[in-house]
Amino acid sequence: MDFTPTEEQRAAQELAAQIFGDLSTHERLSPKLSAPLEQGGRPSLMGTDGELWKAICAAGLIAAVEEIGLLGLVLLLEEQGRTTAQVPFAATCVYGLLAIAAHGNGEQRARLLPAIGDGTTVVTGAFPATGSIRSDASGAVSGTAPLVPWLRDATHVLVADADRALWLVPTADPAVTVEPVETTAPWSAGRLTLNGAPGECIGGDAAGGAYEHVLATSRTAFAGLQAGVCAGSLALAVEHTSTREQFGRPLSTNQGVLLRAADAYMDTEAIRVTAYEAAWRRDEGLPFATHALTAAWWASEAGQRVVHTGQHLHGGTGADLDHPVHRHFLWGRQLDAYLGSGSEVLAELGELIVGADRADQEDRVERVGQEEGPV
């Protein structure tokens, strides 16, 4: 395994760090921004920083993900997480660009990818699927998804029916209802209701495994976002404890503070390296479902520990709702909830490992039987 970024990946990461650092500042994030996107035919994004979204699109960062792969996207999402930048970057890349690039047919890729790459089309996904959505032979999709991140910003939503076939549905269709849902972090989330909405099948039937592949990709990407959120929270804590004095010396000189910060650093690195491994395996065409679940477990379980530590090390200041560290706390807890609680993810990981072992054992028995012949 070699997680060393390529020249293209490093250049994209540096550009993302510059854009997020320049525009996703505390002063701009303090009020709730709702700047509509009026130029270039792009949609009006509610609850999203429109100026930042236009800058990302103009820099070609979304379109670049098709070339730099999931590992490159994880690097970009780390930079977003460091600043808790309020844009639907992860959702559009995972449920839109990467999903269609991997599972769309030639006509779909040619038609949809340019619009996603320039930000005209904003995509989100109702993942993980709950089995409450169904489709018919005509491609009409019905059902509900109680919580979909960035739904109020999206022009399209990727859903999975009860058979795990994927459908891309335009949110502006009259058969689609979007109701606002408030979440811990301001993700412009919504409740999705489909009543015979027109859907475009992505990846054929469920036998192709498109749903499982997109789900594993999304878990890896959002784990990368959590790594950035944690890194940002820890950086704020380090700055605060290094400059704030108690009894005539910096807080960072206290052993208890050092131990908490060290544990948070190790947790952050665990999230990062597991996300890198899952992303690298996906880009190399290797099985990565168990690795994606491992990254999701670390992001959920360790992520909430890190953002709690970041807020705790700020003392009373961390309780200030307007302090930057509080945004990291909210994002970290929202990602924890979105990825699934640690116990849920761990149970799914165990079932997947046991299932793979059982299938491997049955395959070995079958091969031995064929070699030995009938008794």
Side-chain angles (χ1 to χ4, degrees), residues 7-363:
E7 184 178 344
E8 293 78 10
Q9 289 170 338
R10 182 62 70 192
Q13 183 184 22
E14 292 174 355
L15 179 58
Q18 179 182 343
I19 294 174
F20 288 131
D22 289 346
L23 295 181
S24 188
T25 61
H26 174 57
E27 291 71 25
R28 287 176 54 80
L29 289 173
S30 294
K32 283 193 174 181
L33 296 177
S34 184
L37 301 184
E38 299 174 350
Q39 299 178 359
R42 298 189 177 97
S44 173
L45 301 185
M46 296 168 288
T48 292
D49 187 337
E51 182 180 347
L52 176 56
W53 182 250
K54 286 189 287 185
I56 291 171
C57 297
L61 287 179
I62 298 176
V65 171
E66 189 176 0
E67 297 297 327
I68 63 177
L70 182 55
L71 181 55
L73 175 60
V74 166
L75 294 172
L76 302 186
L77 291 176
E78 279 193 74
E79 300 305 328
Q80 179 186 2
R82 290 179 199 275
T83 59
T84 59
Q86 189 62 22
V87 285
F89 189 44
T92 290
C93 290
V94 168
Y95 301 123
L97 191 136
L98 288 179
I100 293 169
H103 304 290
N105 58 38
E107 187 277 331
Q108 289 171 330
R109 291 195 296 270
R111 172 168 48 88
L112 295 170
L113 290 181
I116 296 173
D118 68 14
T120 303
T121 296
V122 179
V123 186
T124 189
F127 282 69
T130 61
S132 61
I133 293 176
R134 61 191 183 279
S135 62
D136 60 26
S138 67
V141 185
S142 301
T144 61
L147 177 65
V148 181
W150 306 107
L151 182 62
R152 283 177 280 163
D153 290 344
T155 61
H156 292 74
V157 57
L158 189 68
V159 301
D161 63 21
D163 296 323
R164 296 296 192 260
L166 296 181
W167 301 88
L168 188 66
V169 178
T171 58
D173 191 271
V176 178
T177 301
V178 175
E179 302 171 78
V181 174
E182 295 302 323
T183 58
T184 302
W187 282 9
S188 300
R191 174 184 172 87
L192 176 69
T193 302
L194 307 173
N195 187 17
E200 182 175 358
C201 188
I202 303 293
D205 59 30
Y211 168 77
E212 289 77 11
H213 190 266
V214 173
L215 178 59
T217 300
S218 70
R219 282 169 165 160
T220 304
F222 280 97
L225 183 60
Q226 182 75 301
V229 170
C230 291
S233 175
L234 184 57
L236 290 171
V238 169
E239 179 183 6
H240 175 79
T241 57
S242 298
T243 56
R244 182 65 177 253
E245 292 189 356
Q246 186 179 56
F247 306 118
R249 62 176 186 172
L251 289 171
S252 60
T253 60
N254 294 322
Q255 187 178 39
V257 172
L258 290 172
L259 291 174
R260 286 293 300 273
D263 286 343
Y265 174 79
M266 294 302 294
D267 274 337
T268 301
E269 287 301 296
I271 300 170
R272 177 181 289 116
V273 73
T274 52
Y276 283 5
E277 181 180 9
W280 176 83
R281 290 182 66 88
R282 192 260 190 196
D283 291 343
E284 292 295 314
L286 300 170
F288 72 109
T290 56
H291 302 79
L293 278 168
T294 302
W297 182 83
W298 275 104
S300 176
E301 194 79 357
Q304 57 90 12
R305 288 199 300 263
V306 174
V307 296
H308 272 269
T309 294
Q311 190 162 1
H312 187 200
L313 291 181
H314 277 77
T317 306
D320 184 353
L321 301 184
D322 294 326
H323 195 280
V325 77
H326 191 68
R327 283 197 304 273
H328 289 269
F329 175 78
L330 295 179
W331 274 68
R333 292 313 308 260
Q334 185 60 46
L335 282 163
D336 170 30
Y338 184 61
L339 289 164
S341 69
S343 58
E344 292 175 341
V345 175
L346 196 61
E348 186 178 348
L349 176 59
E351 292 173 359
L352 187 61
I353 292 173
V354 170
D357 288 344
R358 184 181 296 114
D360 184 57
Q361 183 179 20
E362 291 173 351
D363 182 58

